[in-house]
């Protein structure tokens, strides 16, 4: 997992060409002009979902991980905690969902990260994550979640 502010991305540049392309898109796009929902960048290789939701308690959220895609979360508005754990330390709640590329998992939060406007998080397949956890009071979060095919 990589977590940082988008202004620091050059520190990580060059590790994955498709991730670099997604970050370049993030840095140049005007997301305020886009509708919520799925948007293409490069077919099924790179695409993103523009989403909005209210942050919730840990008990109201869920753990997930992916197999075919890297996730890049980029916060446009709001703040949230994100739980993080290694995949092998989690228990499968449901079998792998091939169509939507996710494992639904169970486990405890041993570490969490606070994301704020302008922060990004890159989750690799071994990174189980629980997003949308409230920081203090429940607030609205607006973000993009990029999917980058491995």
């Amino acid at each position: 997992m990589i977590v940082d502010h988008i202004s620091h991305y050059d520190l990580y540049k060059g590790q994955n060409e498709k991730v670099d392309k997604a970050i370049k898109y993030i840095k140049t796009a005007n997301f305020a002009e886009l509708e919520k929902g799925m948007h293409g960048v490069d077919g099924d290789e790179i695409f993103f979902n523009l989403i909005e939701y209210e942050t919730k308690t840990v008990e109201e959220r869920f753990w997930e991980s992916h197999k075919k895609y890297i996730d890049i979360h980029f916060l446009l508005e709001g703040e949230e905690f994100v739980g993080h754990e290694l995949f092998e330390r989690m228990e499968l709640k449901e079998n792998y969902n091939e169509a939507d590329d996710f494992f639904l998992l169970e486990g405890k939060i041993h570490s969490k990260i606070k994301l704020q406007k302008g922060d990004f998080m890159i989750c690799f397949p071994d990174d189980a994550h629980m997003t949308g956890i409230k920081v203090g009071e429940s607030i609205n979060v607006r973000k993009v979640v990029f999917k980058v095919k491995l």
Side-chain angles (χ1 to χ4, degrees):
M1 175 178 281
I2 298 173
V3 180
D4 208 334
H5 191 271
I6 197 70
S7 63
H8 300 156
Y9 182 73
D10 286 349
L11 297 170
Y12 313 99
K13 193 173 182 178
Q15 295 181 34
N16 181 299
E17 185 179 315
K18 288 188 261 184
V19 169
D20 289 346
K21 186 174 181 177
I23 295 293
K24 182 178 180 183
Y25 189 97
I26 288 170
K27 287 182 164 186
T28 59
N30 183 354
F31 293 106
E33 294 179 352
L34 297 178
E35 299 273 329
K36 290 188 293 183
M38 300 301 286
H39 299 269
V41 175
D42 185 10
D44 71 343
E45 296 292 313
I46 306 170
F47 57 94
F48 68 92
N49 193 7
L50 177 57
I51 56 178
E52 292 182 18
Y53 55 83
E54 292 287 320
T55 56
K56 300 182 181 305
T57 64
V58 169
E59 295 75 26
E60 296 172 289
R61 300 300 300 150
F62 58 90
W63 286 102
E64 66 177 317
S65 185
H66 310 286
K67 189 175 185 179
K68 296 184 213 170
Y69 286 89
I70 295 169
D71 268 7
I72 304 173
H73 296 246
F74 177 66
L75 240 60
L76 300 168
E77 298 293 334
E79 63 182 8
E80 67 181 353
F81 278 126
V82 177
H84 171 260
E85 187 55 85
L86 295 175
F87 179 83
E88 59 264 18
R89 294 182 184 160
M90 305 299 288
E91 293 182 29
L92 278 178
K93 187 172 183 177
E94 292 180 12
N95 289 332
Y96 175 68
N97 180 318
E98 181 83 27
D100 294 323
D101 183 43
F102 75 89
F103 291 98
L104 197 54
L105 306 165
E106 289 183 314
K108 293 186 179 183
I109 292 183
H110 295 285
S111 63
K112 61 183 176 180
I113 301 152
K114 184 178 180 182
L115 294 180
Q116 297 175 295
K117 182 178 179 176
D119 290 341
F120 73 93
M121 173 179 73
I122 301 175
C123 297
F124 299 94
D126 287 340
D127 296 318
H129 50 283
M130 177 189 287
T131 62
I133 303 168
K134 67 182 183 175
V135 177
E137 296 298 314
S138 181
I139 63 167
N140 190 55
V141 167
R142 187 167 198 256
K143 73 178 184 180
V144 289
V145 178
F146 275 74
K147 298 292 190 174
V148 177
K149 195 169 194 177
L150 290 167

